[in-house]
Structures are given as structure tokens and as C-alpha cells.
Amino acid sequence: MWDADGNRYLDLAGSAAVNFIGHGVPEISSAMADQAAKIEFVHTSQFTTPVAEEYAEELLAFAGENFHGGAVYFTCGGSESIETALKLARQYQVEVGQTFRHQILSREQSYHGSTLGALSVSGNKRRREMYLPMVREFARVGMPYCYRCDFDCTDGCRNCGQQYAAELERAIEASNGQTAAFIFEPVSGATLGAVVPPPGYLQSVAEICRRHGVLLIADEVMTGMGRTGRNFAVEHSNVASDILVTAKGLSSGYAPLGAVIASKRVVDAIAAGSGAFLHGFTYNAHPISLAAGRAVLHHLQAKKLVEAADSSCPGTTAAQFKQALETLRAEEAVGDVRGIGLLWAVEFVSDKASKRPFPVSQNFAGSVGAAALKRGLLVYPMQGSVDGISGDHLLLAPPAIVTPDQIAWSIERLAESIREAK
Ligand SMILES: Cc1ncc(COP(=O)(O)O)c(C=O)c1O
């Protein structure tokens, strides 16, 4: 990208983990223009459109077996989709006669969006602090974070994953049967920085939710649509969620778009009950946004970009990115490098042995971000990885078309930026 002064940037953050297919792909803008020429807008209370019907079928297939017979609800982005999912979970419970279920449990150090409902289930301290008097509080449970494990583990958190899952079960029990759903990011996003759950944890979470009649909502706003090297990140753990939420990479930034993908169980309960989901935004299923999203889906499938984002497969773009990032461990200020696919984070420490973070006031991640920007490299700096306030990290989420030369150039610039910030 070039700015108005002609400065050139390489965007290693994909804006904010949005752009997955790269900028300026001509078939996306053509698809949008073709759609605009046919019909630019109809209200979903009056009409549906071919693009909505066909794209929904394709997305259900992309989401896999678990969503066979399900349905898709299109919105304009992540937060709108999360609000939709929370209300859908509540309506499901009412339809199946569980009218007392209204609580949504979630995790500390999570982020589900900036609207008040989404913020109320988010754990991100910095983003919610000012609005606390306005948000509804439900219980939040801990999240496995192997680099700073609460349980002093020595087995890569295999066992403590079960302790975190047990914490969820205790929270469900403590809600006295009022829990409607549990919402989680299958790989944590910006707040904690690309933390991958330990083996077995999400499977146990899914089993506990099923046993207690609690719906499982996977927030794949950031991790969905190939970002982690699978269509959706839950596939890494073979977990079947009842509701899957996605946005960002769904349209890769070409148009505002989000989607709530509901399983047959949820759809059938509403169809057999009141018959309609009591919810709506004027711009639901906007035809031009859907044309963009559908063209993005076709493009990423034709170019095999999900495969390119698979970091476990030698030789892929993501495997090269992972390998290059690992070299940053040699830097004095780098405590951890973690992630999967094309979603990675680098966590900074002032002392490697004790994992002591930098003082909050130093804003180390911000300084690295500024030093990188000076060099023409865009990254996503965050603070709060240790306890919501202290701790510094960068989120890195390049488009899947990033080349080996660009990766090598970026990591050199990043290493220089880390040294400059020290
Ligand atoms: C996991 C997750 N959920 C929800 C959201 C909110 O999405 P949006 O900013 O499109 O409203 C974000 C945004 O960063 C996110 O990362």
C-alpha cells in the first residue's frame, strides 16, 4: 500500500486480521459492480435475493458437515454478528422451553466486539473499563495460556486444559440452570495474541456444554475463513459448535460483512416454535456486500489460500512465515512466539528468565509498532497480555498471498524495530 505522500507499506497485520486475499483483486470489485447493476438493496422483511440464497448454501458447505441443514444470517460485521448470536442462543432456549436460560458465559482475556452486548461478554479489560456501569455482567472463566500458565504445568498444558474446562463446568453449575450459551474464540485474537488452546481442552468444553444444555458459540470473526489454515479454526479440535460467527476475512475487507452460521438444531427449534427469529438490522444480507463475500469465497477456493495458510504443512506460505517468526526468539525482548496458520503473536518481556513484562507506561508494543511503521511495516500492537493491563505483544496476520521475499524483508524490519524500541 502507498499513502498520500507516496510512502510504501507492507501490511503484516492484514489491517486488523481482515485482509486475507490481498488488496485490489479485480474480480471482487467486478462482482460488486455487477450486483449493484442488478439490484443494490432490498429489505429482508420483503425479499430475498439469489446472491443471498446461493452464497448461504456455499457458506454452509464451507462450514462443513456440522452445519448441514443449517442457516446463515448475514450482518455488516463482527459485533453485529455477535449480538445476533447472543440473541439467537437466547431465543433457541426459549423455543425449547428453557425460558430461565439467559446467561452467556465467556472467558477472561477475550474480545467479542464493541457494541454493549458483545462488550459485556468480552474479557478485554482496557476496552470495557469505561463502559462497565452500562454492561450486563455474567460469569467469565479463565483461558489456558501456556506461556504464563496458572497451573505451573510441564506438559504443554495438556492436563491444565482440563482444569480450565472444569472451571467452566463449575460456572455453569453456579448459574443454577440459567446459562444459555458459552462463547469463545477457538484461537484467541488480539487481546491475548494468537494463543492456541492445549489439546483436549475445547473437546472437553464442548462435551460439558452439551451435557448441560448450553449452546456453544464459536467466535471466528478473526479466525474463520481460512486464517488458521482450516476453513474454521474449530476444525483443529474437531469441535462442533451450535453457532459459528464470522466476519473480517469473510469479505476480506472489500465490503462490510459478517455472518452467523446456525446449526440445524438451532434453526429447527425456531422453525418448530415461533417460526421467526425476532431480530434484524436494515442492512442484513446487503446484496453488494454479499456479492463481495461470495466472490472472495470463490477466489480463496480457486487460489487454494486456506491450504497456503496451513502452517503445519511444509513449504506453505504459513510454514515459511512461522519459520521466519521463530528467528525472533533470538531477540532479547522476545519472550514468546505463538500462533497457528497465518495468525501469530510475538510477546515481549523485559527479562526472559522471569518473563517480567515491561512497565505499562513504556508502551513497548506501541514503540515497536511505531519503529516498524517508520520502516514501512504495519503490525498490530497490543498491551494487556499478562493481566489485561500489563504485558506487550504484536498480532501478526498477513494476507495469504504474502511472498517469501516479503516475509524475509518484514522479519528483518521487525527485528530492527524490536531492538530500536528496547
Ligand atoms: C474475535 C472477535 N470478535 C468480534 C470482533 C468484533 O468485530 P467488528 O470489529 O467487525 O465489529 C472482533 C474484532 O476485532 C474480534 O476479533
Side-chain angles (χ1 to χ4, degrees):
M1 302 196 50
W2 287 260
D3 69 14
D5 299 323
N7 300 311
R8 193 176 74 146
Y9 301 96
L10 194 146
D11 188 359
L12 211 59
S15 304
V18 175
N19 193 309
F20 187 62
I21 68 166
H23 291 284
V25 176
E27 63 248 41
I28 315 300
S29 37
S30 308
M32 294 170 76
D34 289 350
Q35 181 59 50
K38 280 187 203 135
I39 180 76
E40 79 297 335
F41 175 73
V42 287
H43 196 276
T44 49
S45 64
Q46 296 167 327
F47 292 104
T48 182
T49 55
V51 66
E53 298 301 327
E54 290 158 17
Y55 182 32
E57 285 305 322
E58 289 167 7
L59 263 187
L60 285 170
F62 188 76
E65 190 95 332
N66 179 45
F67 291 94
H68 187 76
V72 183
Y73 195 96
F74 290 109
T75 72
C76 294
S79 300
E80 271 190 13
S81 294
I82 295 293
E83 298 291 337
T84 302
L86 303 184
K87 287 173 72 179
L88 186 60
R90 164 67 181 158
Q91 186 166 339
Y92 165 84
Q93 298 291 7
V94 173
E95 303 282 12
V96 299
Q98 305 275 302
T99 49
F100 40 85
R101 290 188 185 265
H102 64 279
Q103 297 193 23
I104 310 282
L105 305 192
S106 62
R107 302 191 299 178
E108 299 294 351
Q109 295 285 62
S110 59
Y111 182 63
H112 298 293
S114 64
T115 48
L116 290 174
L119 204 57
S120 86
V121 296
S122 297
N124 187 310
K125 277 193 188 155
R126 286 170 178 267
R127 291 180 180 171
R128 67 203 307 275
E129 196 178 6
M130 186 190 299
Y131 306 102
L132 279 180
M134 299 165 73
V135 298
R136 183 77 196 262
E137 290 284 4
F138 300 123
R140 279 187 301 281
V141 296
M143 146 138 57
Y145 170 28
C146 203
Y147 180 60
R148 296 181 188 278
C149 182
D150 281 350
F151 295 99
D152 226 4
C153 69
T154 51
D155 64 351
C157 281
R158 189 171 281 270
N159 280 316
C160 45
Q162 297 310 310
Q163 311 215 38
Y164 283 103
E167 190 187 339
L168 172 64
E169 183 152 30
R170 288 194 296 276
I172 293 173
E173 284 163 358
S175 78
N176 289 323
Q178 293 186 346
T179 305
F182 172 65
I183 185 167
F184 70 104
E185 296 159 275
V187 175
S188 68
T191 306
L192 201 50
V195 168
V196 179
Y201 163 73
L202 285 179
Q203 289 90 333
S204 297
V205 162
E207 187 276 317
I208 289 165
C209 287
R210 193 76 61 222
R211 190 151 37 78
H212 287 272
V214 170
L215 289 190
L216 195 59
I217 306 175
D219 178 350
E220 298 234 21
V221 167
M222 191 176 273
T223 54
M225 303 308 297
R227 171 63 60 196
T228 71
R230 296 289 181 277
N231 291 3
F232 289 95
V234 281
E235 292 166 30
H236 290 289
S237 319
N238 265 327
V239 160
S241 63
D242 300 292
I243 300 174
L244 193 59
V245 181
T246 192
K248 292 187 185 269
L250 183 63
S251 65
S252 208
Y254 284 79
L257 185 62
V260 179
I261 306 176
S263 63
K264 187 171 186 310
R265 172 187 175 199
V266 174
V267 175
D268 284 354
I270 293 177
S274 61
F277 179 29
L278 195 62
H279 181 65
F281 302 105
T282 298
Y283 288 134
N284 282 149
H286 193 284
I288 300 175
S289 289
L290 298 187
R294 190 172 183 218
V296 166
L297 176 62
H298 294 174
H299 184 81
L300 69 85
Q301 287 177 320
K303 299 283 176 190
K304 299 200 179 317
L305 296 185
V306 183
E307 291 83 342
D310 185 353
S311 54
S312 66
C313 186
T316 60
T317 305
Q320 289 162 14
F321 190 56
K322 174 182 175 180
Q323 201 179 2
L325 277 172
E326 289 291 343
T327 64
L328 292 175
R329 287 188 190 274
E331 300 300 320
E332 208 187 326
V334 171
D336 195 25
V337 175
R338 56 179 176 254
I340 189 165
L342 286 170
L343 187 66
W344 288 81
V346 178
E347 180 164 336
F348 302 115
V349 285
S350 68
D351 176 58
K352 274 198 200 213
S354 65
K355 303 183 181 174
R356 189 176 61 238
F358 286 98
V360 177
S361 57
Q362 193 176 330
N363 188 9
F364 188 82
S367 303
V368 176
L373 179 69
K374 229 171 45 186
R375 292 168 168 81
L377 180 69
L378 302 177
V379 294
Y380 186 159
M382 283 291 286
Q383 282 194 290
S385 37
V386 175
D387 53 10
I389 304 295
S390 70
D392 291 85
H393 63 276
L394 299 182
L395 191 74
L396 303 170
I401 52 142
V402 69
T403 66
D405 285 352
Q406 289 168 339
I407 291 174
W409 180 89
S410 304
I411 300 304
E412 273 172 37
R413 299 294 84 74
L414 195 50
E416 288 166 15
S417 307
I418 295 167
R419 276 173 235 142
E420 185 179 309
K422 187 94 171 64

